[in-house]
Amino acid sequence: MSKFSEQVLGWFDLHGRHDLPWQKTITPYRVWVSEIMLQQTQVKTVIPYYERFMRSFPTVEALAQASQDAVLAHWAGLGYYARGRNLHKSAMKIMADFEGRFPESYDDVLALPGIGRSTAGAILSIALQQRHAILDGNVKRVLSRYLALEGWTGNKNNESFLWHKAEEFTPISRFADYTQAIMDLGATVCTRTKPCCETCPVRSGCLANQQDRVRDFPAKKPKKEKPIKQAYFLVLENMEGKLFLQQRSQIGIWGGLWSFPEYESHESCLNKMKKYESQSTSLHSLVEWNSFRHTFSHYHLDIFPVVVKGIDENHALQVFGNGEWACKVALNSQQATLGVPAPVTKLVRLIRECKNV
DNA sequence: AAGCCGGGGAT
DNA sequence: ATCCCAGGCTT
């Protein structure tokens, strides 16, 4: 066993994380769900989502039999909703192709939607003690410092180089512990800002530390300007205080989630409302609320709410097409049965509190 | 290779 | 406001 993995494992036994929710009882299914939720998402954020998800869907079969709406309702607020859709798809595939048993061959696991090279390695090493490397954000950071790797870790050559090193550093035993150990090291010692090099088990061999250049690695990702887009949200409220929601396309942002009818311009939004009013006899008040900004990883979205109260429920369905009149729209995500994007949750809260800010 | 896909924690 | 987080998929 190499000195690196020996040092990492020795540190892990004393200082690693051994009581995370998905570590309590280790099964491929439980590890799989955790790894998907943890993609691009911090542990602290995941924990409450994981607990709730596992309570509702304790087995592959339970997940496969659930509706997509139920799954996405559990994912609402977590982001990257394709993860939830793919998890659900994979569960159905596991029922159809593997009799409900999570596959144990690397190729079969890799073929499931939403599982790439790193996630497949993590699941099979942690849950089934197979020898596979991982290369997530933690490993990239640890290795780029240990090896003083110049340049962004996301570029092709560096990625290929790091995969090679990640496999080389993986020991010949204790595969589950090593996978967990290298991630724990990155998450608690070799952190992005203010790493604790004094307590690091591999500092003696760390080139960045030797050169006193820990701060230089990993190199920052080249940044690009985020475009600004606009969206008009038509907020329809009926006499009972229910709000009108429509399910979004599976393709594009917030795929499969429920949101307010959305228009790209002020004009198209008001035209739609005029079309409704021309056929309606009831009275209602239209108020254009102040806009607010929601920022994605790749663009800013300025949201302009157009709030109309006193809408006739059945009449609206005729004009606006398919939709649902929801009562408690994800104000409490514990009770929500529809998945709603974060800014919709925010806007609903503002409406309920009558805060036009 | 670059773009798409979220939301929040940390700074 | 910026950067990044237990990445993968599409073009």
Side-chain angles (χ1 to χ4, degrees):
Chain A
M1 188 174 306
S2 72
K3 184 166 74 174
F4 181 89
S5 60
E6 208 168 286
Q7 290 169 330
V8 171
L9 283 165
W11 170 86
F12 173 73
D13 290 334
L14 294 178
H15 306 292
R17 296 176 292 186
H18 298 89
D19 50 3
L20 295 170
W22 39 92
Q23 296 174 324
K24 295 199 73 174
T25 58
I26 295 180
T27 69
Y29 175 66
R30 289 173 54 82
V31 173
W32 171 40
V33 173
S34 75
E35 289 301 327
I36 300 301
M37 285 191 173
L38 286 161
Q39 288 171 359
Q40 300 296 97
T41 312
Q42 296 185 166
V43 168
K44 183 191 289 187
T45 303
V46 163
I47 288 176
Y49 284 88
Y50 182 80
E51 303 275 23
R52 191 159 54 92
F53 194 95
M54 295 308 297
R55 273 201 302 277
S56 296
F57 315 115
T59 63
V60 174
E61 186 174 7
L63 179 57
Q65 290 174 348
S67 66
Q68 189 193 68
D69 273 339
V71 176
L72 288 183
H74 286 71
W75 215 269
L78 199 52
Y80 285 132
Y81 299 98
R83 294 183 296 171
R85 299 196 302 271
N86 283 332
L87 200 61
H88 188 221
K89 275 188 214 165
S90 290
M92 292 189 285
K93 181 176 165 71
I94 292 169
M95 292 306 294
D97 295 356
F98 304 103
E99 300 175 343
R101 293 281 301 172
F102 193 89
E104 302 191 354
S105 91
Y106 184 82
D107 289 343
D108 285 343
V109 173
L110 193 58
L112 294 172
I115 298 182
R117 191 173 173 183
S118 188
T119 301
I123 295 170
L124 288 177
S125 62
I126 291 174
L128 294 173
Q129 290 287 348
Q130 295 181 18
R131 186 176 188 278
H132 300 288
I134 62 164
L135 186 61
D136 66 344
N138 287 309
V139 180
K140 283 181 175 177
R141 189 169 53 256
V142 170
L143 294 187
S144 70
R145 284 173 177 162
Y146 191 78
L147 302 168
L149 177 64
E150 307 285 349
W152 178 46
T153 58
N155 80 46
K156 199 74 174 180
N157 285 338
N158 280 343
E159 188 119 358
S160 166
F161 174 77
L162 287 170
W163 265 114
H164 181 77
K165 289 298 180 183
E167 283 165 354
E168 186 179 312
F169 285 175
T170 301
I172 56 169
S173 66
R174 298 191 64 185
F175 308 126
D177 285 347
Y178 180 76
T179 293
Q180 190 61 51
I182 190 80
M183 290 192 288
D184 286 359
L185 186 65
T188 66
V189 174
C190 196
T191 51
R192 182 168 68 89
T193 56
K194 294 198 296 184
C196 308
C197 296
E198 303 77 21
T199 66
C200 178
V202 297
R203 67 186 176 287
S204 63
C206 178
L207 289 181
N209 186 257
Q210 288 172 19
Q211 300 170 11
D212 195 23
R213 291 179 60 207
V214 174
R215 226 198 63 118
D216 294 346
F217 307 101
K220 287 164 68 173
K221 175 184 179 178
K223 56 189 274 187
K224 66 179 199 323
E225 201 75 2
K226 286 178 183 169
I228 301 174
K229 303 185 180 183
Q230 289 86 243
Y232 292 81
F233 281 7
L234 187 51
V235 181
L236 305 178
E237 187 182 75
N238 74 1
M239 309 297 187
E240 304 165 7
K242 289 184 182 177
L243 301 172
F244 185 74
L245 296 180
Q246 289 181 326
Q247 187 169 31
R248 300 177 62 88
S249 159
Q250 298 287 123
I251 304 166
I253 204 80
W254 300 327
L257 273 66
W258 293 74
S259 183
F260 295 114
E262 180 183 331
Y263 304 91
E264 56 187 20
S265 72
H266 183 258
E267 187 183 9
S268 59
C269 181
L270 292 190
N271 280 343
K272 190 71 177 179
M273 198 52 223
K274 279 174 188 165
K275 186 173 178 184
Y276 169 86
E277 288 180 325
S278 68
Q279 302 175 31
S280 175
T281 56
S282 61
L283 299 171
H284 28 256
S285 60
L286 184 154
V287 180
E288 300 187 9
W289 283 40
N290 295 329
S291 68
F292 62 97
R293 174 168 292 190
H294 183 75
T295 298
F296 297 105
S297 49
H298 49 308
Y299 64 90
H300 301 285
L301 182 66
D302 288 334
I303 297 170
F304 296 81
V306 178
V307 181
V308 187
K309 303 193 176 187
I311 294 290
D312 179 81
E313 195 164 313
N314 293 324
H315 184 53
L317 280 173
Q318 291 172 24
V319 176
F320 293 97
N322 292 332
E324 292 278 340
W325 286 89
C327 188
K328 301 175 183 174
V329 185
L331 279 179
N332 180 348
S333 64
Q334 300 279 359
Q335 298 174 351
T337 58
L338 300 178
V340 176
V344 172
T345 302
K346 175 180 176 176
L347 181 51
V348 170
R349 187 170 63 247
L350 293 176
I351 304 266
R352 295 306 188 206
E353 296 170 357
C354 293
K355 286 185 181 168
N356 185 1
V357 290

